[in-house]
């Protein structure tokens, strides 16, 4: 049994399923994927993401504003609390910092990230964090804002082992996506081999970053199986053990999904 701990179910390509999300989720379920965390990234798709979670017993939602959307307007703390208090919402995010694509909105990103941390602490819901080329500021803000009180996950992790270790020291989990199957992703390989099994999650980030052998195609939740199989082989562990432990980790972190 696996959990896709990070997917954008409102954005996946359903062409081969005749537009039916239920069919895509059933395909994943038939391959042993037992649950899905649907992620919101901006004001416009929070309600659609929550609506999807409400339709399916094995789908939960996380609500927030992606750092690259923060400059266009983040949510106020009050708005975020209102959205995050809905049924089936088990986490806060996707939030964080991304200096790879945009270094001109650092102030807006930092404020939005701090607001998300405050709400996560207030509601006692974990954070779903996106971080890219913003190691120092991400770690500094997690510490200064007391994010360890909420815990959370650094999703689709592509940074170095030092960052992973510091995040885990604060109680955070590390989530590995299909990038781990890419030959040139050597830094991800090194981190993925070292993360303790009880701190590991797996995800697709679908419809993005499809794993080998589907690289370049639209990603979908069923492909978390390919991520987990590659990861188990890389780590020298059985697929069954990795699947079981990452699923237990998911429910430990996202307690509202139990």
């Amino acid at each position: 049994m696996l959990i896709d701990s990070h997917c954008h179910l409102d954005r996946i390509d359903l062409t081969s399923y005749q537009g039916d999300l239920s069919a895509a989720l059933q395909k994943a379920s038939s391959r042993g994927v037992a649950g899905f965390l649907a992620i919101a990234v901006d004001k416009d798709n929070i309600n659609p993401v929550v609506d999807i979670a409400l339709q399916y017993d094995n789908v939960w939602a996380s609500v927030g504003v992606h750092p690259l959307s923060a400059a266009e307007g983040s949510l106020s703390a009050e708005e975020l609390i209102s959205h995050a208090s809905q049924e089936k919402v088990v986490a806060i995010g996707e939030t964080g910092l991304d200096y790879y694509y945009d270094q001109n909105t650092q102030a807006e990103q930092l404020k939005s990230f701090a607001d998300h941390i405050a709400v996560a602490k207030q509601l006692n819901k974990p954070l779903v964090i996106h971080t890219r080329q913003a190691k120092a500021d991400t770690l500094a803000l997690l510490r200064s804002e007391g994010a360890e009180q909420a815990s959370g996950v650094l999703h689709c992790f592509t940074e170095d082992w030092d960052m992973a270790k510091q995040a885990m020291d604060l109680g955070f989990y590390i989530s590995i996506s299909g990038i781990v199957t890419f030959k040139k992703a050597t830094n991800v390989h090194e981190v993925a081999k070292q993360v303790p099994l009880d701190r590991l999650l797996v995800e697709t980030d679908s419809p993005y970053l499809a794993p080998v052998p589907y690289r370049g195609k639209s990603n979908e939740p069923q492909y978390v199986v390919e991520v987990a199989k590659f990861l188990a082989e890389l780590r020298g562990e059985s697929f069954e053990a990795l699947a079981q432990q990452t699923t237990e980790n998911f429910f430990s972190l996202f307690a509202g999904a139990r």
Side-chain angles (χ1 to χ4, degrees), residues 95-218:
T95 183
L97 302 173
D98 190 320
Y99 298 166
Y100 178 81
Y101 284 111
D102 192 348
Q103 296 189 14
N104 298 316
T105 61
Q106 291 186 12
E108 292 88 347
Q109 290 188 38
L110 286 162
K111 183 183 185 305
S112 177
F113 191 14
D115 288 345
H116 281 70
I117 294 171
V119 169
K121 287 161 56 181
Q122 181 174 335
L123 298 182
N124 194 30
K125 292 186 177 183
L127 290 151
V128 176
I129 295 174
H130 170 108
T131 178
R132 191 167 187 194
Q133 290 196 1
K135 173 181 173 178
D137 282 359
T138 298
L139 290 169
L141 203 66
L142 290 177
R143 291 192 178 97
S144 66
E145 300 300 319
E148 70 276 3
Q149 297 174 41
S151 189
V153 58
L154 273 59
H155 104 92
C156 190
F157 194 81
T158 56
E159 303 298 326
D160 60 17
W161 170 246
D162 179 64
M163 184 177 192
K165 187 177 184 305
Q166 290 191 58
M168 288 187 292
D169 286 345
L170 292 170
F172 282 76
Y173 289 71
I174 303 298
S175 183
I176 302 298
S177 72
I179 291 175
V180 77
T181 68
F182 301 173
K183 281 186 177 180
K184 293 184 179 180
T186 53
N187 62 318
V188 178
H189 299 160
E190 291 308 308
V191 171
K193 285 190 285 189
Q194 295 182 77
V195 175
L197 187 54
D198 64 357
R199 283 284 157 183
L200 193 63
L201 295 177
V202 288
E203 64 172 272
T204 59
D205 202 13
S206 52
Y208 317 108
L209 303 171
V212 174
Y214 306 102
R215 188 175 183 182
K217 299 179 180 179
S218 183

